[in-house]
Amino acid sequence: PGLARFTHDDLVAVADALDAMTSDRPYRAALPLHQAMTELRIGRATQWSPTVVDTVERLVNAAKRELSFGDAVTQPQVA
């Protein structure tokens, strides 16, 4: 109850589209991730499952936060 449903095909469609947009092709350069995510948002609910697009967006945002905090931590120098 209250859970959004999606099929395996919905998941594969979004994954395939994201991979295609962010991969170099002989006829065009790869799109940056932020631009590919914009394209997914544009097609959300018309071309791709809104549940899957929303989930991918949350995962990408979480990965960005993790990367921004993933820098090496240096210990303060004790005098």
Side-chain angles (χ1 to χ4, degrees):
L3 295 177
R5 304 278 179 186
F6 61 91
T7 67
H8 175 264
D9 293 342
D10 295 331
L11 182 61
V12 170
V14 172
D16 182 57
L18 185 60
D19 178 63
M21 288 187 273
T22 58
S23 297
D24 284 324
R25 301 294 179 179
Y27 50 88
R28 64 146 179 84
L31 295 178
L33 182 58
H34 73 274
Q35 191 172 351
M37 290 305 303
T38 297
E39 293 297 325
L40 288 179
R41 283 190 296 275
I42 290 170
R44 181 187 179 277
T46 57
Q47 189 169 354
W48 297 292
S49 161
T51 302
V52 177
V53 171
D54 293 347
T55 301
V56 168
E57 187 163 28
R58 282 193 304 274
L59 289 170
V60 166
N61 288 336
K64 284 181 186 177
R65 282 192 304 274
E66 187 173 305
L67 289 173
S68 68
F69 292 113
D71 297 331
V73 176
T74 58
Q75 295 296 323
Q77 297 297 322
V78 178

